[in-house]
Amino acid sequence: MKSLAIPVLGCSLLALLQPAAQAETLWQLWQKARQSEPTYLGARATLDAAQARSRQTLGAMLPQISASASTNDNHRNYETRQSRLPRQRDQYNSSSGQISLNQPIWRYANLVARSQAEDSARQAEYQLVGAEQDLVAKLVVAWFDLLAARDNLVFATRQAQAALRQWQILERGAELGQESAPRAADARAKYEQAAADAVAAETERQLKLAALEQLAGPVQDFVPPYLRPGVMLADLEGDRLDDWLALVERRNPALLAARRAFDASQAEVRKQRAGHQPTLDLVASYGSSGQQAGNFPGQNGYRIKTGTVGLQLNVPIYSGGSTSAKVAEAVALSEKARADVEAARRSAALALKQAWFGWQTGHAREAAGRRAEEAAQAALKLAERGNDNGLRTEFDVLQASQQLEGARRDRRRGSYEQLTAYVKLKALLGEIGVNDVDELDQLLVPSEEDAAPSSAQAADGGAQQ
């Protein structure tokens, strides 16, 4: 049989897996994300604005003091209606100054606005906490998605290499008349499919890297680390879903923010209704005015000083219906805020259930993958010994190696799912912090060799949950 050209796709993909730079830690990427991620920065700016509004409402309750002053150069022509009196002309300076004070005594709208601003500031604080928790959760998910994509690329590349070697063996056997040509053609088709799967895996890895860069910005020469062997993952088997749902009702930042928004909306209703109430202010002023000449040419100049203090009552009578319309608008928006609270509660409960059952799935997949990896490891050792003794073929060794690679990939994927699900659960409660990110970094090692389980761990069945 004529030898066919063998693509070198598997070898070129394998080159992508070689470490080229020092891997950035998750903590470092988190710090970069805190400085550049738009949603988080927007939440921080919203909090600054809410705190500024709170200071504004306090200022509206304190005395309002203003001062004014003026000076003028006057040119005056004076002419009487009696023509026998000569026309007169003079030039003089006039000046005035005044300081005024207004102290609100009763403005119910100001009191309500103060309470409303405090609720809005608390809402913004919860929103910032929620944005930070969501940022950490999304970053962790993107991080471990990239690790899973890298593992899948390793698996697909090695599958392509194994399929390539199987094709070579069968092609050589067909040339010697020991294998059939259709079987060699089938091996070639399997290799080409494996090579295509490797290309798809590389594409997926690039997309996952892009998703990580969407959060943390450009990551140059990033090398994904590996999950170290023997890690102790979070154990939720003894926990009850209802207990977690009760916690999320009390601690979820998005739900707490929605409740503060509802409180602020009710305050807005009271503030608009205050438009029907009278207001009472203490007013005081002191002023001085004078000019160098009197009101008529020839008169002496003067200086007048005036001081006043009193109460100013304002009673709204009719505003054309605008105040009632504002009240109706505020009531409608308050109902919307009430609905938003229920929507936030349902969304938080759904997200918690998804994370909870995601942990269960990851736990089952990790356990199954661990058992499959143990079995595949034993099968590979048996195939290698059989190959040395002439009882097994290289074909058997390649199949056992492929089985081991698949089991290892599935075990790691299950571990990633457990970790990301647990991070999501804690984020929904607003409990993810710097220590948690640092602990995740402690679970990682830079190379695949460091991540390989020791012989003692393999004998003991791997890491225990």
Side-chain angles (χ1 to χ4, degrees), residues 68-352:
S68 62
S70 67
T71 180
N72 302 284
D73 188 30
N74 301 278
H75 297 265
R76 182 171 56 180
N77 291 324
Y78 182 79
E79 181 179 1
T80 64
R81 295 182 180 276
Q82 297 180 3
S83 60
R84 65 176 179 272
L85 294 178
R87 178 182 300 177
Q88 299 188 44
R89 176 182 301 174
D90 62 359
Q91 179 178 350
Y92 63 93
N93 176 267
S94 62
S95 61
S96 66
Q98 181 171 314
I99 183 169
S100 303
L101 177 144
N102 186 305
Q103 170 61 63
I105 296 177
W106 174 252
R107 285 181 177 264
Y108 183 64
N110 288 359
L111 297 175
V112 177
R114 177 63 178 167
S115 175
Q116 181 186 31
E118 291 175 349
D119 286 332
S120 296
R122 289 291 292 166
Q123 174 193 357
E125 289 175 4
Y126 286 128
Q127 286 175 333
L128 179 59
V129 171
E132 185 169 24
Q133 297 293 302
D134 187 52
L135 176 59
V136 176
K138 289 192 295 186
L139 186 63
V140 169
V141 170
W143 174 278
F144 284 108
D145 280 351
L146 179 58
L147 266 60
R150 184 274 321 280
D151 292 343
N152 193 48
L153 176 58
V154 172
F155 171 75
T157 301
R158 291 172 181 169
Q159 287 286 87
Q161 290 177 328
L164 174 60
R165 183 55 185 157
Q166 289 171 346
W167 174 28
Q168 291 173 331
I169 293 171
L170 291 173
E171 184 186 27
R172 181 58 178 168
E175 290 176 350
L176 298 176
Q178 298 175 352
E179 293 289 348
S180 65
R183 190 176 180 193
D186 181 64
R188 177 182 180 177
K190 288 181 178 178
Y191 163 67
E192 291 179 347
Q193 180 60 52
D197 291 341
V199 172
E202 168 60 14
T203 300
E204 182 67 13
R205 186 186 72 87
Q206 292 290 346
L207 292 175
K208 296 302 182 184
L209 179 60
L212 184 64
E213 290 180 332
Q214 183 75 10
L215 298 171
V219 181
Q220 299 296 332
D221 299 325
F222 176 66
V223 180
Y226 291 82
L227 194 65
R228 67 179 175 83
V231 297
M232 298 295 293
L233 302 180
D235 186 0
L236 304 181
E237 288 191 293
D239 295 354
R240 296 172 60 249
L241 177 59
D242 289 343
D243 294 336
W244 282 88
L245 289 172
L247 287 174
V248 84
E249 283 273 357
R250 299 195 301 269
R251 302 181 187 176
N252 179 252
L255 180 54
L256 294 174
R259 287 171 177 163
R260 287 293 174 269
F262 175 64
D263 293 340
S265 71
Q266 290 186 309
E268 179 66 19
V269 175
R270 297 195 301 273
K271 185 173 72 173
Q272 295 303 330
R273 285 175 175 164
H276 295 294
Q277 296 190 14
T279 61
L280 180 64
D281 298 335
L282 171 67
V283 295
S285 66
Y286 176 80
S288 175
S289 63
Q291 59 188 43
Q292 294 176 341
N295 293 328
F296 299 97
Q299 291 182 337
N300 294 328
Y302 62 86
R303 168 71 55 185
I304 301 175
K305 297 180 180 180
T306 306
T308 62
V309 62
L311 297 175
Q312 181 174 298
L313 178 67
N314 181 32
V315 180
I317 297 176
Y318 181 65
S319 61
S322 62
T323 301
S324 298
K326 291 178 181 179
V327 172
E329 178 188 11
V331 170
L333 292 176
S334 181
E335 289 302 312
K336 178 185 179 300
R338 187 195 303 275
D340 290 342
V341 171
E342 179 61 19
R345 186 190 67 78
R346 295 184 184 185
S347 178
L350 175 60
L352 186 133

Side-chain angles (χ1 to χ4, degrees), residues 23 147 150 223-229 231 440-452:
L147 266 60
R150 184 274 321 280
V223 180
Y226 291 82
L227 194 65
R228 67 179 175 83
V231 297
L440 286 173
D441 274 330
Q442 300 305 314
L443 301 179
L444 303 170
V445 291
S447 68
E448 187 175 13
E449 290 73 18
D450 296 328

Side-chain angles (χ1 to χ4, degrees), residues 8 10 69 77 104 146 156 167 184 197-198 202 230 250 317 335 387 392 395 411 414 417 428 453 457 460:
V8 293
N77 291 324
L146 179 58
W167 174 28
D197 291 341
E202 168 60 14
R250 299 195 301 269
I317 297 176
E335 289 302 312
N387 188 45
R392 299 286 182 105
F395 202 89
R411 173 183 60 79
E417 289 180 351
L428 287 168
Q457 289 170 334
D460 293 337

Side-chain angles (χ1 to χ4, degrees), residues 366-377 407 411 460-462 464:
E366 193 277 337
R370 176 158 41 87
R371 301 303 179 194
E373 186 178 7
E374 295 168 14
Q377 186 72 49
R411 173 183 60 79
D460 293 337
Q464 297 298 319

